[in-house]
Every structure is written in structure tokens, then in C-alpha cells.
Amino acid sequence: MNCTRTFAVKKCWGTSIIGWRCNFEYIYGVLEEFNNHINTSFPHLREGKFLLACSGGLDSVVLTHLCHGAGLDFALAHCNFNLRGDASDGDEAFVKKLAAELDKEFYVIIFNTVNYMNKNKVSLQMAARELRYDWFQGLMEQKGWSTLVTAHHADDNLETFLINLSRGTGIDGLTGIPEKTASISRPLLKYSRVQLEAYAKERNLEWREDLSNQETKYLRNKIRHQIVPLLKELHPTFLTNFKQTQHFLRQTSGIAEDHINQIKEQLFNRDNEVIKISISELMKLNPIEGYLYALLNEYGFMEWNDVLSLLTAMGGKEVRSKTHRLLKHREYLLLEEISISTGMEYAINEEDKRLEEPLKMSLDIVDKIEETGNTILYVDKETLKYPLTVRKWRKGDYFYPFGMRGSKKVSKFFKDIKMDQISKEKQWLLCSDDNVVWIMGKRGDDRFKVTDSTKMILKISIQE
């Protein structure tokens, strides 16, 4: 140990040789244990540079010093949410100074969080979360870094558990914050806030306290300051016991996930973007409510009584989440992601030879009819009025099915071929002057067919 380091230790902890030795051994032990933790559970953090989110609070400051002490290569990123006036600016200045002291790159952004909250009609906490993670992701993509490291710890995990429990959740909501995802690593999850604070005090570290964290108007703060202390008071090793319980829950969740994946392989039949699920096979599962939750929970459904009722509902009934919908069609449930329908029409001018949207098409003048199939239509070009349009079907649309006499409503044609509601909504029509030329991929209109008197044959092909 050199003199400078000895002086720094004595400056922090006094001149007692016994006290100094205990503190040094404590610091060295924590850092050595953290090093081992990184090597065992987060070896990827040694493979390249990563982004470390630092608010300036206790947790992220300790994480910063531990990562620095472990010789990891990282840059610091700080979000100024512009919510606490001079205090927010003080946090920014503090983290900037910390980055300079450790010779680390520093990135900062200032958000108008209140404006974002009002514009997007979300809570203040959700606004801050969305803003920071969007910025982190963009910064990482710009710099070519694949990992964000955050300072979530064991107490955060307990709070999240209680929040999810209070709102209603399944086993996934009780297993806690994951240590690793594809882009985020949380190496402090095994440590409690008490451990982090003890380390910071032993090292005489400075950090910033956000006084708004003391306000109990927010659910997380109320749990942190009013509920968690009572739980820890009930049993001195409550947090340790809780971590062990979550460990078992994660193992149980893994077993259940393997089983559910096997069920999905049997029941979920994908047809392009739609998943088709046999109701009769679903009904064999017991308990059906539990299986429905396990199978469909990831798609955002919350009204489970409505989902259960869908099994015996009339055809055409549906249940929606924010991202997906579940539709009853005959003996099946149809699951698909909700897409925003623009109602747009796509024009095809006479000189156009290719169309890229909403689907790929080619239009070519040919001498004769050769290859045929559902994705090819031959028409008499002189019967068309340009521009042609590609659009979704509308109520009242009709056409003259090729090879048949008389007209038929498009909706009746759909019914005859037993097309489900989702497929109807996805169906494109090729139209000339609002007359249906082709129910694309299904049936052409007899009025535009090629005859013996046709002088110019237009071949229209859908590209697979």
C-alpha cells in the first residue's frame, strides 16, 4: 500500500490501526465479492464498453464506484428531468464531476417531463421512465453499445413485488426484476440498500438525496416508507427470506414456462400474422382459467372473465388488450396484434409497372395467358380506368364473380368462402373507378376478363 492510499484511508476512518484494518478488509472484501459476482453472472460486462445510468443517488453512485474498482469500461449517462429546479441542476453537476474524477465519458440530456406527461396522458413517473429508456436506447445505438447497466437493488425488487401484488398479477409479476435482459444488466439486485449504504459510508462516498423520494403520495414511496419497514420489523431476516422465496418462484416459473411452451406448440397454429387456437382443445385443459392466463398473459389481456366467456360466445365476439385482440370464429379463437388501419387508398397510374405498398405487385403487358394461380390476374387493359386503386373492402361493395352471371356482394362472397373477420379486414381490393376488378388473391371480376376481342392483355401479379 502506498502512502497516498494509506493517507486516504486514515483521512476517511481515523488513525486507529484496528479500525483502519477492519474497514480496509471490509472494502476489499466487498469489491472482491463484486468482482466475483461480475465474473460469474455478468461476464459480458468485461467484454466491451457499456452505458451506466447514474442519477447521483446512493445506489447509482455505489454502482459507479464498484464498476470502476472492478476495472470495467463504461460511460455515465444522466437524465435531468427538470422537475426540482436547482436541485435537478445540482444532480447533473454532481454526476458530471463524478465522471470527470473517474475519467469516464459523460452524457446528459434535459427533458421537459411535465410537457411529455401532459401530451401523452401518462403519470409523471411513467413519463420519466419512457423518456429515459428511449434516450438510453438511442444513445446506445448511436455509440454501438449493447448493454445498459442500472442500479436496481434487492429493496427495489421487494417494492416491485408488492406493487404487482397490490395490482393483481400472476407468478411472473412476483418473480421480480430480472437481473439480465437482452440489453439491460442489474448487478446490484443481490444487495440490499443497507449494504449499499454501509459500503458508501465506509468509503466516505458522497451522493445526492432526492427529497421527493420521501413523499408518500407515490405508491412506490408509500410502500418503501410505510410498508417495507413494518415487514422488516416483523422478522429481522425478512429481506433475505424474501430473496430466497423469489429464487424458488423463479424456478417454479421456469418449470411452468416450459410446460406452457409445450402447450402452445400443440394449440397455437400460426397462419401468417394470425394465431388460430382450437376451442375444443383449450376446454380440455384444467383449470381452464389458469391455462388461459398462462397462454395469453403476454399479449396484455386483463379482463379474464371476458376471455373465458369468449369460449362459449357467439362467433364474431372479441376481447381486446392494448396490443392484441382475441376473436371468436366458429370453433376457434383467433389471436392477432392490433394494427392501426389508415384507411388509405394506394393509386396505380397507367405507366406504373411495380407497386411496393400495401403489397408488392407487378403489372406487365403480355401477348397471351400463360401461368395462372390465385396470385395472378389477367384483364383486358382497355376496360380499366386509371388511376387504379388498391383499398380495403367497404360495406356495400359488390362485384361480378369471374365465370358467373350476375353480381354478388363482397361480404356475401366472404361468407361463402367462410372467411373469418380478421381475414376480411386484411383483404385488399383492386378497383377501377371504384368498381371491383379483383378481390386480390381470391376472385377476379367478370367485367374485366380477357376475351377474343381483347387487344391488350394486362398481367397483374402479387409477389409472394
Side-chain angles (χ1 to χ4, degrees):
M1 178 180 296
N2 59 43
C3 294
T4 303
R5 190 167 186 180
T6 303
F7 175 77
V9 172
K10 288 186 177 182
K11 182 179 178 182
C12 294
W13 298 302
T15 56
S16 166
I17 297 297
I18 295 176
W20 168 82
R21 181 174 298 163
C22 290
N23 287 320
F24 177 76
E25 289 175 353
Y26 171 79
I27 296 302
Y28 180 78
V30 170
L31 186 55
E32 183 180 38
E33 197 280 335
F34 182 77
N35 254 313
N36 292 335
H37 181 46
I38 294 296
N39 293 337
T40 302
S41 302
F42 300 89
H44 61 285
L45 296 184
R46 294 201 182 277
E47 296 171 0
K49 195 166 189 174
F50 57 85
L51 190 66
L52 193 156
C54 185
S55 67
L58 169 70
D59 316 331
S60 57
V61 166
V62 169
L63 177 62
T64 299
H65 280 276
L66 285 172
C67 287
H68 179 67
L72 302 177
D73 188 14
F74 61 92
L76 289 181
H78 176 77
C79 299
N80 184 338
F81 294 105
N82 207 21
L83 294 172
R84 295 163 32 247
D86 292 342
S88 291
D89 295 336
D91 293 345
E92 177 186 331
F94 174 83
V95 179
K96 183 178 182 180
K97 180 183 176 185
L98 175 62
E101 290 173 350
L102 300 180
D103 193 25
K104 297 297 180 184
E105 289 181 60
F106 173 66
Y107 298 92
V108 64
I109 190 169
I110 300 174
F111 293 118
N112 189 334
T113 313
V114 173
N115 182 62
Y116 181 91
M117 174 186 70
N118 293 332
K119 181 179 179 180
N120 294 277
K121 295 181 173 54
V122 294
S123 69
L124 189 63
Q125 290 180 316
M126 182 57 69
R129 175 183 173 80
E130 291 177 1
L131 285 169
R132 67 177 176 269
Y133 279 104
D134 285 348
W135 179 61
F136 290 150
Q137 185 61 40
L139 183 58
M140 289 163 60
E141 290 176 0
Q142 178 186 343
K143 297 296 181 180
W145 302 330
S146 60
T147 303
L148 170 71
V149 172
T150 67
H152 294 92
H153 51 75
D155 289 77
D156 293 323
N157 226 347
L158 174 57
E159 293 161 13
T160 300
F161 172 93
L162 294 172
I163 288 172
N164 291 340
L165 186 65
S166 69
R167 291 172 175 168
T169 186
I171 191 170
D172 289 341
L174 303 179
T175 55
I177 307 169
E179 273 198 333
K180 285 178 294 212
T181 65
S183 60
I184 302 177
S185 293
R186 304 178 177 94
L188 293 188
L189 271 181
K190 64 180 293 186
Y191 302 99
S192 69
R193 181 178 172 85
V194 169
Q195 289 174 300
L196 300 182
E197 189 168 355
Y199 179 82
K201 288 180 177 178
E202 291 289 351
R203 289 294 306 268
N204 201 30
L205 300 180
E206 294 182 355
W207 66 86
R208 301 275 294 181
E209 288 288 356
D210 182 352
L211 295 181
S212 67
N213 287 334
Q214 304 301 317
E215 298 176 5
T216 55
K217 64 180 180 180
Y218 299 117
L219 177 58
R220 183 175 289 274
N221 288 352
K222 186 172 290 188
I223 288 173
R224 177 178 301 166
H225 298 298
Q226 297 181 357
I227 297 177
V228 170
L230 292 176
L231 292 174
K232 291 180 178 179
E233 187 179 313
L234 287 174
H235 202 292
T237 59
F238 178 84
L239 189 57
T240 301
N241 297 342
F242 167 74
K243 287 194 289 184
Q244 184 70 12
T245 298
Q246 274 203 326
H247 173 70
F248 291 133
L249 281 173
R250 281 191 289 270
Q251 291 182 327
T252 302
S253 178
I255 295 170
E257 185 178 357
D258 288 343
H259 176 62
I260 291 302
N261 286 337
Q262 292 176 10
I263 299 294
K264 283 184 176 180
E265 287 183 10
Q266 298 169 13
L267 296 188
F268 282 29
N269 297 304
R270 184 173 289 276
D271 182 9
N272 293 322
E273 298 175 359
V274 178
I275 295 174
K276 192 174 182 181
I277 308 169
S278 167
I279 293 176
S280 62
E281 293 301 313
L282 267 180
M283 296 293 283
K284 295 177 182 178
L285 301 176
N286 186 35
I288 184 61
E289 295 92 337
Y291 274 102
L292 285 175
Y293 178 87
L295 292 167
L296 300 172
N297 161 56
E298 67 177 284
Y299 303 103
F301 295 103
M302 308 221 12
E303 303 299 329
W304 294 106
N305 287 335
D306 293 342
V307 172
L308 180 62
S309 298
L310 205 58
L311 299 178
T312 54
M314 295 180 60
K317 297 290 184 180
E318 67 174 53
V319 176
R320 290 187 174 230
S321 70
K322 289 183 179 180
T323 58
H324 289 76
R325 68 170 173 166
L326 199 61
L327 175 74
K328 171 74 176 290
H329 176 68
R330 301 179 184 272
E331 295 83 30
Y332 296 92
L333 295 181
L334 304 180
L335 174 67
E336 72 152 357
E337 187 174 1
I338 295 173
S339 58
I340 300 174
S341 178
T342 62
M344 290 182 61
E345 294 186 359
Y346 298 83
I348 303 176
N349 296 310
E350 190 167 2
E351 64 275 12
D352 291 339
K353 301 298 182 184
R354 296 289 182 272
L355 188 71
E356 294 296 325
E357 291 184 307
L359 67 173
K360 291 186 177 182
M361 293 172 51
S362 63
L363 301 97
D364 303 290
I365 301 298
V366 296
D367 295 328
K368 59 183 178 178
I369 296 176
E370 293 181 338
E371 57 178 326
T372 60
N374 290 336
T375 60
I376 298 174
L377 180 72
Y378 295 91
V379 297
D380 185 334
K381 186 174 184 296
E382 293 182 338
T383 62
L384 302 175
K385 291 184 181 180
Y386 287 90
L388 306 179
T389 57
V390 177
R391 63 170 175 82
K392 295 292 182 68
W393 75 282
R394 302 168 184 157
K395 187 175 181 180
D397 277 336
Y398 67 93
F399 76 127
Y400 289 75
F402 182 82
M404 295 180 60
R405 292 183 179 181
S407 64
K408 175 179 284 192
K409 283 190 174 182
V410 172
S411 58
K412 179 66 166 59
F413 172 77
F414 289 161
K415 184 176 181 180
D416 289 346
I417 64 172
K418 298 182 171 142
M419 186 182 283
D420 62 74
Q421 183 63 30
I422 292 176
S423 298
K424 292 177 189 177
E425 294 173 8
K426 292 180 179 295
Q427 180 64 53
W428 293 99
L429 306 183
L430 175 66
C431 299
S432 168
D433 197 24
D434 222 28
N435 293 314
V436 175
V437 177
W438 189 17
I439 300 177
M440 301 185 72
K442 300 289 190 302
R443 195 76 169 265
D445 189 296
D446 198 73
R447 292 170 293 179
F448 302 92
K449 69 182 179 182
V450 175
T451 66
D452 292 340
S453 60
T454 297
K455 298 177 181 178
M456 192 175 296
I457 301 174
L458 179 64
K459 176 185 177 183
I460 308 172
S461 305
I462 301 172
Q463 308 300 316
E464 297 289 352

